[in-house]
Amino acid sequence: IPLHDVMLASGGAQYRVADWLGLGLLLDYRQSASATSGRRLELLPFASVRWRSHWSIVTYAGTGFADGSPAAETGLDLRFDF
């Protein structure tokens, strides 16, 4: 399958509700990477919970609005800040 160069754009914001809690929203867009795939447009709300001094847990659940996007997605990230 021949692949195309694509444009990718992503933007978002996070609001710090408390020292330990942040809520945010991301919007991601990607052009179609091949003739058989569709473009992606996804909206991802997330919550970031600080746990201890350098650790945080980020949960997200989102939906897609284009043919190449997932109908629904969810995830959990464990992060360490240096």
Short mmCIF file of all heavy atoms in Angstrom, two decimals, residues 7-13 25-30 41-42 44:
data_model
loop_
_atom_site.label_atom_id
_atom_site.label_comp_id
_atom_site.label_asym_id
_atom_site.label_seq_id
_atom_site.Cartn_x
_atom_site.Cartn_y
_atom_site.Cartn_z
N MET A 7 -0.76 15.88 6.65
CA MET A 7 -0.76 16.99 7.59
C MET A 7 -1.39 16.50 8.89
O MET A 7 -2.39 15.78 8.86
CB MET A 7 -1.56 18.17 7.06
CG MET A 7 -1.50 19.36 7.99
SD MET A 7 -2.60 20.70 7.55
CE MET A 7 -4.16 20.04 8.09
N LEU A 8 -0.80 16.87 9.99
CA LEU A 8 -1.30 16.50 11.31
C LEU A 8 -1.41 17.77 12.14
O LEU A 8 -0.50 18.60 12.15
CB LEU A 8 -0.32 15.53 11.98
CG LEU A 8 -0.57 15.17 13.43
CD1 LEU A 8 -1.81 14.32 13.56
CD2 LEU A 8 0.62 14.44 14.00
N ALA A 9 -2.54 17.94 12.80
CA ALA A 9 -2.74 19.09 13.67
C ALA A 9 -3.38 18.62 14.97
O ALA A 9 -4.25 17.75 14.96
CB ALA A 9 -3.63 20.12 13.00
N SER A 10 -2.91 19.16 16.06
CA SER A 10 -3.44 18.78 17.36
C SER A 10 -3.44 20.02 18.25
O SER A 10 -2.50 20.81 18.22
CB SER A 10 -2.57 17.68 17.98
OG SER A 10 -3.10 17.25 19.19
N GLY A 11 -4.49 20.17 19.03
CA GLY A 11 -4.56 21.29 19.95
C GLY A 11 -5.42 20.95 21.14
O GLY A 11 -6.24 20.04 21.07
N GLY A 12 -5.19 21.64 22.21
CA GLY A 12 -5.99 21.36 23.40
C GLY A 12 -5.68 22.31 24.53
O GLY A 12 -4.85 23.21 24.40
N ALA A 13 -6.34 22.08 25.62
CA ALA A 13 -6.15 22.91 26.81
C ALA A 13 -6.42 22.07 28.05
O ALA A 13 -7.15 21.08 28.00
CB ALA A 13 -7.10 24.10 26.78
N LEU A 25 -9.15 18.95 27.28
CA LEU A 25 -9.78 18.53 26.04
C LEU A 25 -8.76 18.66 24.92
O LEU A 25 -8.08 19.69 24.80
CB LEU A 25 -10.99 19.43 25.77
CG LEU A 25 -11.93 19.04 24.65
CD1 LEU A 25 -12.62 17.72 24.99
CD2 LEU A 25 -12.97 20.13 24.46
N LEU A 26 -8.65 17.61 24.08
CA LEU A 26 -7.76 17.62 22.93
C LEU A 26 -8.56 17.41 21.66
O LEU A 26 -9.54 16.65 21.66
CB LEU A 26 -6.73 16.49 23.02
CG LEU A 26 -5.71 16.56 24.14
CD1 LEU A 26 -4.90 15.26 24.19
CD2 LEU A 26 -4.79 17.73 23.93
N LEU A 27 -8.14 18.05 20.58
CA LEU A 27 -8.73 17.85 19.26
C LEU A 27 -7.59 17.48 18.32
O LEU A 27 -6.61 18.23 18.21
CB LEU A 27 -9.44 19.10 18.77
CG LEU A 27 -10.11 19.00 17.41
CD1 LEU A 27 -11.26 18.01 17.44
CD2 LEU A 27 -10.59 20.36 16.94
N ASP A 28 -7.66 16.31 17.69
CA ASP A 28 -6.63 15.82 16.78
C ASP A 28 -7.20 15.66 15.38
O ASP A 28 -8.31 15.17 15.21
CB ASP A 28 -6.10 14.46 17.24
CG ASP A 28 -5.31 14.55 18.53
OD1 ASP A 28 -4.65 15.58 18.75
OD2 ASP A 28 -5.35 13.59 19.31
N TYR A 29 -6.38 16.04 14.38
CA TYR A 29 -6.75 15.88 12.98
C TYR A 29 -5.56 15.30 12.23
O TYR A 29 -4.41 15.69 12.47
CB TYR A 29 -7.12 17.22 12.34
CG TYR A 29 -7.29 17.13 10.85
CD1 TYR A 29 -8.46 16.62 10.30
CD2 TYR A 29 -6.27 17.50 9.98
CE1 TYR A 29 -8.61 16.50 8.93
CE2 TYR A 29 -6.41 17.38 8.62
CZ TYR A 29 -7.57 16.88 8.10
OH TYR A 29 -7.71 16.74 6.74
N ARG A 30 -5.82 14.35 11.32
CA ARG A 30 -4.79 13.81 10.45
C ARG A 30 -5.38 13.50 9.10
O ARG A 30 -6.46 12.89 9.01
CB ARG A 30 -4.19 12.54 11.03
CG ARG A 30 -2.98 12.05 10.22
CD ARG A 30 -2.54 10.68 10.61
NE ARG A 30 -3.53 9.74 10.07
CZ ARG A 30 -3.65 8.50 10.47
NH1 ARG A 30 -2.91 8.02 11.43
NH2 ARG A 30 -4.56 7.71 9.93
N LEU A 41 -10.40 12.63 12.71
CA LEU A 41 -10.76 13.80 13.49
C LEU A 41 -11.31 13.28 14.81
O LEU A 41 -12.34 12.60 14.82
CB LEU A 41 -11.80 14.66 12.76
CG LEU A 41 -12.25 15.93 13.49
CD1 LEU A 41 -11.07 16.88 13.71
CD2 LEU A 41 -13.36 16.62 12.73
N GLU A 42 -10.60 13.55 15.90
CA GLU A 42 -10.96 12.96 17.19
C GLU A 42 -11.03 14.03 18.27
O GLU A 42 -10.24 14.97 18.28
CB GLU A 42 -9.92 11.93 17.60
CG GLU A 42 -9.74 10.82 16.60
CD GLU A 42 -8.53 9.97 16.88
OE1 GLU A 42 -7.88 10.15 17.93
OE2 GLU A 42 -8.21 9.12 16.03
N LEU A 44 -10.94 14.31 22.43
CA LEU A 44 -10.55 13.52 23.61
C LEU A 44 -10.60 14.34 24.89
O LEU A 44 -9.68 15.11 25.17
CB LEU A 44 -9.12 12.98 23.44
CG LEU A 44 -8.89 11.97 22.36
CD1 LEU A 44 -7.41 11.82 22.07
CD2 LEU A 44 -9.46 10.64 22.80
#
